[in-house]
Amino acid sequence: MKRLIFTLSISFLCAFSCNARNTTIVISLDGCRWDYPFWYDTPMFDFMAENGVESGLVPSFPSKTFPNHYTLATGLYPDHHGIIANRFMDTETGDVFSLSDAEQKFNPKYYGGEPIWITAKRQGVRTAVFYWPGSDVEIMGQHPDTYYNYDAKPRLGLKQRIDGILTQLALPAEERPQLIMAYLEQPDANGHHFGPQSKRTRQAVMMADSLVRRLYDGLCRNKLQKSVNLIVLSDHGMAWVDSTHVVNVKPLLKAEWVRSIEGEIPACIYANAGCADSIYQALKDIDHARVWRKSEVPAYLHYGSSPRIGDVVVLPDIGYVVYDKPISAGGTHGYDPNLQEMHAMFRAIGPDIPHLQLPHFPNVCVYSLICRLLDIEPAPNDGTLPFELTHY
């Protein structure tokens, strides 16, 4: 048995060394605030900080899961790639994009830009993606070489996804991906239910840290740590919301003014013809929120040119939600990306990764970084290379 294991390990190593390009692995931990590793016990994240890049990501607006994961994949702000929220209206058709509506979620018309798995694939780089938002949609007529439908049950568990990455690395050279991406729902799920500063969220962060350690141990066991660049990041942070912090705009609006209200942080209000200014005037002085006409959203938010954005945008103050029903206390996100509570974790380690502490940088830069690591030409995007690499 020992001889068999040794033989398999040697075969694995020899096959892997056939590829000159180092493999890049990107793990997304949904809702992992940049400061969780400073609050909680995260030895693997600390190890990555000590031996690679330690930083944080400034999310794109709105600081929500689907828009930001697609921004990480394309290097485009949501205003430019089209996924402008987790829920929004297609103003041309009246259709509503929603993560709970499979027909709309899987419709390629919503997905602009070129995600990294397509950029890589069209330049001869094999790809494997575990549940990254948008990866199961046929964008530009293509999917990653290996991908998983998030709505298909049973869904792979978090540990299975990590082990699946190691399985991909053990494939024969002609089948092995050089870009692997994986999405994990934690610690976002616990952060929503219990808030960012809670025992259950701490447990979720520590579990995520242990899963990354499991992956890195697998790389080391097969002597691959010098051939793999590992990036661990997140899409956004998390903030506490009290159950009484509701901004209800509906009582201030006449029904005949409003075509639809979609979302809560921010709320996009779609006006009936000629009614946008009436809506703005009725809401502009409300407490605990900023209200803008679409054309007047501040430039630093990079939000307002897409036809899918509402005629009036209502952004609640941090800790508040635009809603018309009672809410439960807990954690949430979507707020102004300049707020530190919304910033996301970033760690990177590997043969092409320098050792440095870096100020937080915009998440539109991640796409350029992955392209550089893979030595491929990026599609047009809104980011730049966030730091210089070694070996280049």
Side-chain angles (χ1 to χ4, degrees):
M1 177 60 72
K2 290 183 179 179
R3 183 175 181 180
L4 176 59
I5 293 174
F6 177 77
T7 302
L8 287 173
S9 296
I10 291 296
S11 299
F12 188 9
L13 179 59
C14 291
F16 193 88
S17 64
C18 292
N19 284 337
R21 179 189 284 118
N22 290 322
T23 292
T24 295
I25 300 173
V26 186
I27 308 293
S28 173
L29 308 175
D30 196 336
C32 190
R33 279 177 55 144
W34 72 275
D35 46 7
Y36 279 167
F38 302 98
W39 294 359
Y40 305 130
D41 187 22
T42 55
M44 182 59 202
F45 300 157
D46 297 342
F47 172 81
M48 295 181 74
E50 292 163 4
N51 294 277
V53 173
E54 174 193 338
S55 188
L57 293 178
V58 182
S60 297
F61 184 74
S63 47
K64 290 284 193 177
T65 296
F66 226 77
N68 275 274
H69 273 93
Y70 201 59
T71 287
L72 290 164
T74 62
L76 296 172
Y77 290 109
D79 196 36
H80 297 159
H81 63 55
I83 306 296
I84 59 100
N86 283 348
R87 181 183 175 91
F88 58 88
M89 176 183 283
D90 180 345
T91 53
E92 293 182 0
T93 65
D95 294 334
V96 174
F97 176 94
S98 169
L99 303 183
S100 61
D101 184 336
E103 181 180 356
Q104 297 302 318
K105 186 177 73 167
F106 287 103
N107 190 331
K109 75 173 184 177
Y110 293 109
Y111 297 82
E114 182 178 277
I116 185 64
W117 50 85
I118 294 177
T119 303
K121 189 173 178 179
R122 67 177 173 82
Q123 296 180 62
V125 176
R126 291 190 62 82
T127 58
V129 184
F130 294 81
Y131 298 124
W132 196 281
S135 63
D136 49 1
V137 179
E138 190 178 53
I139 299 168
M140 302 173 70
Q142 298 183 67
H143 287 103
D145 294 300
T146 299
Y147 70 97
Y148 295 82
N149 185 328
Y150 193 79
D151 291 349
K153 302 295 175 61
R155 191 178 296 150
L156 294 177
L158 305 188
K159 180 180 172 183
Q160 289 176 305
R161 299 175 207 183
I162 296 300
D163 290 346
I165 294 172
L166 294 170
T167 299
Q168 289 290 322
L169 292 174
L171 290 171
E174 65 274 11
E175 300 176 27
R176 188 181 320 117
Q178 293 168 308
L179 171 63
I180 304 175
M181 305 172 73
Y183 165 77
L184 279 62
E185 293 88 350
Q186 289 285 14
D188 183 77
N190 281 21
H192 276 293
H193 287 296
F194 308 105
Q197 294 179 315
S198 69
K199 180 178 179 179
R200 295 289 294 274
T201 300
R202 180 187 67 190
Q203 291 171 345
V205 172
M206 293 170 62
M207 176 195 66
D209 181 82
S210 69
L211 288 171
V212 176
R213 168 59 71 178
R214 180 183 182 88
L215 172 60
Y216 193 74
D217 285 348
L219 298 177
C220 293
R221 187 167 56 250
N222 290 288
K223 297 181 172 54
L224 302 178
Q225 73 275 21
K226 294 183 179 180
S227 302
V228 171
N229 295 304
L230 174 61
I231 298 172
V232 180
L233 49 70
S234 185
D235 50 351
H236 55 71
M238 187 70 67
W240 175 257
V241 176
D242 187 86
S243 61
T244 63
H245 286 186
V246 175
V247 178
N248 188 358
V249 300
K250 283 191 174 180
L252 302 174
L253 303 176
K254 294 182 179 180
E256 59 267 26
W257 295 347
V258 179
R259 184 180 181 188
S260 181
I261 301 177
E262 304 296 343
E264 72 296 327
I265 312 172
C268 277
I269 303 178
Y270 301 86
N272 285 320
C275 298
D277 194 62
S278 296
I279 294 171
Y280 173 75
Q281 293 298 332
L283 299 181
K284 66 177 183 177
D285 295 321
I286 60 173
D287 293 333
H288 307 300
R290 289 182 285 171
V291 181
W292 302 294
R293 297 179 180 92
K294 176 180 175 177
S295 61
E296 296 173 347
V297 175
Y300 78 90
L301 293 176
H302 302 281
Y303 203 71
S305 68
S306 171
R308 296 168 185 167
I309 295 171
D311 300 288
V312 176
V313 178
V314 181
L315 177 62
D317 296 341
I318 192 165
Y320 285 80
V321 177
V322 177
Y323 213 60
D324 61 347
K325 297 180 179 64
I327 63 170
S328 299
T332 196
H333 49 89
Y335 301 105
D336 189 322
N338 280 355
L339 295 167
Q340 289 277 308
E341 293 91 335
M342 292 298 100
H343 287 199
M345 188 186 77
F346 181 90
R347 297 286 187 275
I349 191 172
D352 302 317
I353 303 296
H355 178 202
L356 56 85
Q357 288 184 320
L358 190 70
H360 296 189
F361 60 91
N363 68 354
V364 291
C365 297
V366 171
Y367 173 84
S368 295
L369 173 61
I370 299 172
C371 287
R372 184 65 169 149
L373 287 169
L374 295 173
D375 196 21
I376 58 177
E377 188 69 25
N381 66 89
D382 296 322
T384 58
L385 190 66
F387 52 84
E388 291 299 323
L389 304 178
T390 61
H391 295 192
Y392 282 89

